[in-house]
Amino acid sequence: MLKGLYFESKCLGSSVNGQTTIDLPRHKKTGEKLADHERIDSAVELFKQMREEYGLEVEQNRIQLYHKRRWRDPACQWDIPIYLDGTLDLLSPIKNGHYAFSEATIDLKLTKDRNNVDTYSNGLFHSTPWGNMEQADFTEAMMSRLIFGRPFVYLVFDYKGNNAGFRDIPVITDINDPDPQKADKATSRMVDLYRTIRWVVSSILEWESIGWPMTPIPKLCNSCPIEDCSKRNEITEV
């Protein structure tokens, strides 16, 4: 995460909430940059090059923009208002030989390998197979469409030792796309997102109704800062 924040700060001028990460941990004895640090700096230079080629406009009023909107579910009437909010990395025109958007939500990503095709989960972290996006989770992109109402593009940079580079990944999110196949795909993804939002809202309301009982989850409890919680070290049968 620290490497990603550093990369964002160097490329855009800041990361979320206007924070900046200006350095990474260095060699304890010499103070020199470590290998990953050097490679990430090269990725920053690559971003500056592609910024010109793709027509990106990286300006202060276009980065780390927050927006909040009321969400009205056509299939459910909730007793309380539901809001969706988020912060985008960059709002900018972008174009290459295959697509062109006058304004798109651009999500900057730093990864170890942009060609990774594996997807896995350790219970808390879910990897994204940047080299096999048909297997990816599109919740982030579709949520961005709901909040910001713009096309969505991933800019993925890696810092591996050999053949480091980047890939731009426009994600189909427009349910009104003039291409029927794209519209159908976006609609299917939006249906999945609506289902997820309903589940989240229903779960929160249910837990609220029963007073939020403590339910220990080992992977979460181990890193929880509330050390005096009575459930933290509770032994459970497996």
Side-chain angles (χ1 to χ4, degrees):
M1 183 177 291
L2 184 64
K3 292 175 180 178
L5 293 174
Y6 173 79
F7 179 67
E8 274 190 7
S9 297
K10 288 291 186 177
C11 291
L12 303 178
S14 69
S15 54
V16 69
N17 296 325
Q19 298 177 344
T20 56
T21 303
I22 60 174
D23 206 355
L24 290 173
R26 299 191 174 221
H27 192 284
K28 292 182 179 180
K29 292 184 177 180
T30 66
E32 297 295 323
K33 293 180 180 180
L34 301 177
D36 281 356
H37 194 163
E38 295 279 5
R39 292 169 185 162
I40 293 171
D41 283 346
S42 295
V44 172
E45 292 305 313
L46 181 58
F47 171 80
K48 293 178 180 178
Q49 295 173 22
M50 67 81 55
R51 179 178 64 189
E52 302 299 325
E53 297 172 7
Y54 282 65
L56 299 183
E57 297 179 7
V58 182
E59 302 168 357
Q60 188 62 38
N61 63 345
R62 289 183 171 275
I63 65 172
Q64 305 303 337
L65 301 180
Y66 172 83
H67 185 61
K68 177 180 179 180
R69 59 156 292 192
R70 176 82 177 268
W71 183 66
R72 300 182 187 277
D73 190 335
C76 298
Q77 297 296 322
W78 307 102
D79 294 332
I80 60 173
I82 308 299
Y83 293 92
L84 308 177
D85 69 339
T87 301
L88 57 79
D89 288 340
L90 175 63
L91 186 65
S92 171
I94 183 171
K95 61 181 179 179
N96 71 5
H98 303 285
Y99 65 89
F101 299 125
S102 60
E103 200 167 55
T105 298
I106 297 173
D107 196 5
L108 201 59
K109 296 293 187 185
L110 179 72
T111 184
K112 190 69 175 179
D113 183 1
R114 71 188 187 282
N115 297 316
N116 173 53
V117 297
D118 297 323
T119 180
Y120 63 89
S121 170
N122 66 5
L124 299 177
F125 170 78
H126 304 274
S127 70
T128 300
W130 298 115
N132 183 24
M133 288 299 289
E134 289 300 320
Q135 300 300 317
D137 182 338
F138 295 102
T139 300
E140 181 180 31
M142 299 309 298
M143 182 68 81
S144 175
R145 186 79 194 202
L146 279 184
I147 296 173
F148 299 104
R150 299 289 193 280
F152 184 92
V153 180
Y154 282 116
L155 290 184
V156 185
F157 292 77
D158 64 14
Y159 57 99
K160 57 186 178 180
N162 297 315
N163 192 34
F166 85 97
R167 67 170 63 223
D168 54 315
I169 307 173
V171 180
I172 297 170
T173 61
D174 186 4
I175 63 175
N176 298 311
D177 195 294
D179 183 328
Q181 291 185 329
K182 291 182 179 180
D184 287 346
K185 182 171 287 190
T187 298
S188 176
R189 292 171 178 174
M190 192 63 78
V191 167
D192 288 342
L193 177 61
Y194 272 40
R195 186 181 300 115
T196 298
I197 294 174
R198 290 177 189 131
W199 177 83
V200 171
V201 173
S202 298
S203 298
I204 291 174
L205 293 177
E206 179 181 358
W207 279 78
E208 178 70 18
S209 69
I210 59 178
W212 297 91
M214 290 182 289
T215 303
I217 302 175
K219 284 188 176 181
L220 294 178
C221 291
N222 289 338
S223 58
C224 177
I226 306 175
E227 296 183 356
D228 60 351
C229 174
S230 61
K231 295 288 185 177
R232 183 184 182 94
N233 298 312
E234 186 175 277
I235 297 174
T236 57
E237 294 181 324
V238 296

